[in-house]
Amino acid sequence: MVKNNPYSAMPNSLQIGAMIQAYAPWVYFHPEGQYFPSTVLWFFQNGVELHQPGRIPRPVINDGDNLPNNGGADDAFLDLPSDQPNKERVKKGFLSNAVAYIHVKSALGGTCTDLAIWLYYRFNGGGKFQLGPFTIDLGMIGEHVSDWEHITLRVDNFHGNLRGVYLSQHAKGQWLTPRKFELMGGTRPVVYASLHGHAHYSTPTSHTHLARNLDPKDIQMLYDEFYKMNSSRKSPIVNGGNFIGFGVRDDTAKSNNVMDIASTYNVIYVDYKPFGIEPWVSYTGRWGPKITYAFTNEVMKIANKLPDKVKQLFIKVLQKIPAELLGEEGPQGPKMKESWSGDERVK
């Protein structure tokens, strides 16, 4: 701590590899999941198109040699192949060749190392909304091309132990201690990626974002209406039973689709060492287009299937959800995120 070099305690290449082997997570995907990670190069090789204003869409060359790296977020975007069969195929990703991209950086004044583990998904599916006992399918709301999610491991440089694990959950996330996880081999945390949205959690269950305290009268009304609909069997779009929550819903569970990060990773950047960087890492545009549709019309299509009292409350609560949780805009890549050079965003 008294040395002038803030990186004097940071690990070398062999030590970075040892940290990854000791603490890299296992990531389980939901059994109903349709959209899985892939390598960035697989996406480029399977018909991705680069769009820029005033230019004809064109393929990406090699590992991103022709991607702009000095513009703004809205100066360019990538999109799925234009032909429908390929578009649907590429959306699903390619789990068997997926790679975790790792960014190594210092933390807490150089006393710890952060291993930011990025997973790239070709598509983010539509969301669900929890309104008390009602689980409401949001259809296309929440869909967007490309999804970058990450897990960060914080390792103590002096003792070598895992101090914390950061789980990205849409626009923000949370730090958890290792004891909050099931640990494979005693040291490697088990992480669950949510259905369609790919947010990360430490438990295989259902979670809600931005849960809000509703008026007890509204809660009672929801349950009364829920049981009425179930008894009359007029409820094709809702279910839920005893699950109580309010906000965007994420479901997680174990399945045969799992990714062992320790056996499939690529260190793409080390902050404190000379390091060749792949062209796509410095791409400044978006990894997907902005999907445009009449948001209000889509909400009303869903709301009109609900009882009037529930409909009014659904619209009221949905309007309080930040746009970043329901957004349809393609994200920027890892290097353009705040966390690349700053702290993780927490809830």
Side-chain angles (χ1 to χ4, degrees):
M1 292 297 290
V2 298
K3 290 184 178 180
N4 292 327
N5 180 5
Y7 299 121
S8 61
M10 296 301 292
N12 59 32
S13 297
L14 289 177
Q15 290 167 329
I16 290 170
M19 288 177 174
I20 294 170
Q21 293 304 313
Y23 301 124
W26 291 77
V27 181
Y28 280 94
F29 304 97
H30 196 279
E32 297 175 19
Q34 303 173 56
Y35 311 116
F36 298 102
S38 71
T39 64
V40 168
L41 296 188
W42 182 85
F43 176 42
F44 292 167
Q45 294 164 359
N46 279 269
V48 62
E49 296 177 343
L50 170 63
H51 294 250
Q52 290 177 283
R55 305 186 66 173
I56 297 173
R58 58 197 187 282
V60 176
I61 299 173
N62 300 324
D63 54 359
D65 289 344
N66 61 333
L67 293 175
N69 58 18
N70 57 0
D74 298 318
D75 290 346
F77 68 85
L78 303 177
D79 204 357
L80 298 165
S82 52
D83 62 296
Q84 195 62 31
N86 267 336
K87 179 180 292 187
E88 293 304 315
R89 178 181 63 83
V90 173
K91 271 185 182 181
K92 296 177 181 179
F94 192 25
L95 182 58
S96 63
N97 91 329
V99 168
Y101 298 103
I102 299 181
H103 171 212
V104 183
K105 56 183 180 176
S106 67
L108 304 183
T111 61
C112 291
T113 296
D114 276 2
L115 304 172
I117 301 167
W118 291 90
L119 298 181
Y120 176 58
Y121 299 83
R122 281 305 314 121
F123 195 75
N124 190 96
K128 292 181 181 179
F129 193 82
Q130 193 69 35
L131 191 63
F134 290 84
T135 303
I136 304 169
D137 189 339
L138 293 178
M140 68 185 298
I141 295 176
E143 288 186 352
H144 56 81
V145 174
S146 289
D147 192 18
W148 281 102
E149 296 286 352
H150 71 290
I151 302 160
T152 297
L153 307 175
R154 179 160 290 174
V155 182
D156 188 302
N157 286 338
F158 298 102
H159 300 94
N161 60 298
L162 180 63
R163 290 182 53 172
V165 181
Y166 176 84
L167 302 177
S168 68
Q169 296 164 352
H170 305 296
K172 297 183 181 180
Q174 60 179 327
W175 283 101
L176 297 174
T177 61
R179 66 180 58 188
K180 297 288 186 180
F181 294 83
E182 173 189 351
L183 297 173
M184 299 287 283
T187 61
R188 298 179 59 195
V190 173
V191 175
Y192 298 89
S194 67
L195 175 65
H196 290 171
H198 315 127
H200 294 124
Y201 296 92
S202 61
T203 55
T205 183
S206 297
H207 313 263
T208 53
H209 278 271
L210 301 174
R212 298 181 180 274
N213 294 323
L214 296 189
D215 188 303
K217 293 180 181 178
D218 286 333
I219 294 175
Q220 186 59 54
M221 176 274 293
L222 288 170
Y223 274 89
D224 290 344
E225 294 297 328
F226 178 76
Y227 289 122
K228 279 183 194 176
M229 293 180 73
N230 274 357
S231 61
S232 63
R233 298 190 177 182
K234 294 180 181 178
S235 177
I237 65 163
V238 296
N239 56 65
N242 295 322
F243 184 79
I244 304 172
F246 302 94
V248 174
R249 171 172 170 157
D250 286 330
D251 294 323
T252 58
K254 273 189 179 178
S255 74
N256 292 329
N257 294 313
V258 60
M259 189 171 175
D260 173 10
I261 302 298
S263 64
T264 176
Y265 69 88
N266 179 13
V267 177
I268 56 171
Y269 199 71
V270 179
D271 278 2
Y272 52 92
K273 295 177 61 177
F275 210 86
I277 193 167
E278 297 179 46
W280 64 263
V281 177
S282 297
Y283 168 52
T284 50
R286 297 192 180 277
W287 287 72
K290 182 175 183 178
I291 299 174
T292 56
Y293 59 82
F295 179 82
T296 301
N297 290 346
E298 291 299 318
V299 170
M300 292 310 299
K301 285 179 188 177
I302 299 165
N304 286 335
K305 298 177 183 179
L306 297 166
D308 287 341
K309 293 180 181 178
V310 178
K311 171 182 174 179
Q312 294 170 13
L313 187 60
F314 168 62
I315 295 173
K316 176 182 175 182
V317 176
L318 192 64
Q319 288 174 338
K320 296 180 180 180
I321 300 297
E324 57 194 6
L325 278 183
L326 299 174
E328 293 75 45
E329 200 163 52
Q332 289 184 278
K335 193 179 178 184
M336 306 304 131
K337 308 285 188 183
E338 292 177 12
S339 62
W340 183 272
S341 57
D343 292 334
E344 301 287 1
R345 296 185 66 190
V346 295
K347 295 189 289 185

